[in-house]
Amino acid sequence: MNEIYKAIGLLRSGEVVGIPTETVYGLGASIYSESGLNKIFHTKERPFFNPLIVHVSDIEMAKSLASDWCEIRETLAQAFWPGPMTIIAPKNEKVSDLITAAHSTVGLRCPNNEITLELIKKSNLPLAAPSANKFKRVSPVAATHVKEELGEDVFVLDGGECQVGIESTIIDVVGETIKIYRPGTITPEEIKKSLNHLNLKNLSVEFFSSPVAPGQLKEHYKPKIPVVVKNDLTYKAQSGEFVWLMEEDPYLVARNLYANFRKAEKEIFSKIIVLVDEKYTNDDRYVGILNRLEKAAK
Ligand code: TXA
Ligand code: MG
């Protein structure tokens, strides 16, 4: 594919490229290009304190950037990669402070998208890539969204619509505790199951608040018009309101979430009302979705 060679040329010359993943579109740069990394922050208007996730083509490449890779990380990577899980690990000297916001750890992810996997493999460049939206805005789930967010000049590899629709589950491993820093579509139950055969005595999988961006990102994923969450499923739309009755299937909801936000803000609506069945609050499959809704509604 010609487009991939064009993207490789841009990455090698210190430019940024919009890349498709199964979760959301990213704005990628070579981890070895200071100019490319700076352009990510500049283009997104993102503060430097918020570290970037590094995208790799396989477990080998992930290990080549980590100073420690334990059996639990290896097992999780084998179970969930390529896929929507970011694994935090202690970094080595190949990963610069610009990427990690001077933290000693790095977030690593092997995305489940053929175009981006091919791009990373053919270039042999690990790619730092945040979601390709302006800081605090709704993540893009189609190539056209990236241009709407960041301008026509950004080169974007078009991989169609993202099939997962919300950002990856971010986890770290501390002893036998798996800490979930950002909920995605992978549940604690699924994580536990994947580690079953290791027979760990003290295994626990829990949600934690992130140590690298404490409190700063309470507002996020925001459309240009207000979002309100209601539990009254019989609510009827008032003038100017875009009302979305959340579907039963959490994977479908995740896939539609940001696309619905964008659709509503682009049309004549002045407010987005999301009707959420209260029973979802006790269902782990909705944690990622409810987390995004809560921040969007702040
Ligand atoms: O699905 C995804 O993860 C998408 C696609 C493009 O891969 N990427 C994404 O990147 O959501 P971004 O930059 O929008 O969000 C990255 C999150 C931030 O909240 C950041 O604080 C956290 O990852 N993060 C990055 N490095 C970290 C680290 N070393 N420890 C803890 N959290 C980290
Ligand atoms: Mg983001």
Side-chain angles (χ1 to χ4, degrees):
M1 187 188 176
N2 235 341
E3 300 278 289
I4 285 185
Y5 288 102
K6 179 166 179 194
I8 293 174
L10 288 168
L11 293 169
R12 285 196 181 135
S13 57
E15 294 296 328
V16 291
V17 170
I19 57 169
T21 84
E22 79 282 36
T23 58
V24 302
Y25 274 72
L27 184 67
S30 159
I31 66 161
Y32 303 117
S33 169
E34 201 178 320
S35 136
L37 295 172
N38 274 309
K39 276 181 194 155
I40 289 179
F41 289 96
H42 180 78
T43 311
K44 271 185 65 91
E45 295 162 19
R46 177 183 175 113
F48 286 105
F49 65 71
N50 199 4
L52 308 173
I53 291 172
V54 175
H55 295 68
V56 295
S57 54
D58 51 34
I59 298 179
E60 277 318 298
M61 191 183 267
K63 280 157 82 169
S64 78
L65 303 172
S67 64
D68 181 45
W69 190 258
C70 58
E71 190 183 24
I72 295 181
R73 287 192 180 84
E74 177 70 19
T75 309
L76 291 173
Q78 282 180 15
F80 294 102
W81 284 1
M85 174 181 276
T86 295
I87 301 177
I88 309 285
K91 74 173 192 87
N92 67 20
E93 73 292 341
K94 288 188 192 157
V95 184
S96 69
D97 280 350
L98 198 48
I99 296 170
T100 65
H103 289 275
S104 59
T105 55
V106 60
L108 298 162
R109 171 163 125 76
C110 177
N112 189 14
N113 178 284
E114 275 176 30
I115 296 173
T116 292
L117 286 176
E118 195 183 334
L119 175 67
I120 300 170
K121 264 187 212 138
K122 287 221 163 99
S123 65
N124 198 27
L125 293 171
L127 300 180
S131 52
N133 49 277
K134 294 276 187 192
F135 186 53
K136 292 195 176 176
R137 276 270 300 151
V138 180
S139 302
V141 290
T144 50
H145 300 165
V146 180
K147 300 224 172 209
E148 282 165 25
E149 280 289 310
L150 305 178
E152 285 297 319
D153 293 347
V154 177
F155 179 75
V156 186
L157 286 172
D158 192 342
E161 286 171 20
C162 301
Q163 291 305 301
V164 172
I166 61 170
E167 301 81 357
S168 60
T169 304
I170 301 180
I171 61 111
D172 196 0
V173 183
V174 180
E176 294 187 357
T177 303
I178 314 296
K179 299 186 170 189
I180 302 179
Y181 290 144
R182 181 176 67 187
T185 51
I186 298 172
T187 62
E189 210 43 51
E190 288 167 325
I191 292 175
K192 273 191 198 141
K193 215 170 144 193
S194 75
L195 297 168
N196 243 344
H197 61 285
L198 298 183
N199 292 314
L200 303 166
K201 281 202 195 74
N202 300 312
L203 177 66
S204 76
V205 184
E206 285 162 50
F207 296 102
F208 281 78
S209 69
S210 169
V212 305
Q216 282 129 332
L217 300 174
K218 290 204 168 105
E219 298 175 30
H220 206 157
Y221 318 113
K222 278 171 112 65
K224 291 172 183 152
I225 53 177
V227 176
V228 177
V229 178
K230 287 187 190 293
N231 297 129
D232 171 12
L233 304 184
T234 62
Y235 182 83
K236 293 279 172 300
Q238 313 286 303
S239 163
E241 289 178 351
F242 176 94
V243 176
W244 175 26
L245 173 62
M246 240 171 67
E247 293 87 350
E248 283 271 348
D249 174 358
Y251 303 101
L252 179 71
V253 172
R255 201 179 307 141
N256 288 340
L257 183 68
Y258 295 144
N260 278 353
F261 280 3
R262 272 180 200 277
K263 189 169 158 230
E265 71 179 13
K266 240 193 252 167
E267 293 175 5
I268 38 128
F269 299 101
S270 53
K271 200 189 248 185
I272 300 170
I273 312 277
V274 189
L275 307 182
V276 180
D277 195 324
E278 256 165 319
K279 72 181 181 205
Y280 299 154
T281 46
N282 300 315
D283 184 335
D284 275 345
R285 297 171 309 159
Y286 287 88
V287 175
I289 294 161
L290 298 179
N291 162 274
R292 303 311 188 274
L293 278 178
E294 189 195 334
K295 292 186 186 218
K298 276 257 159 63

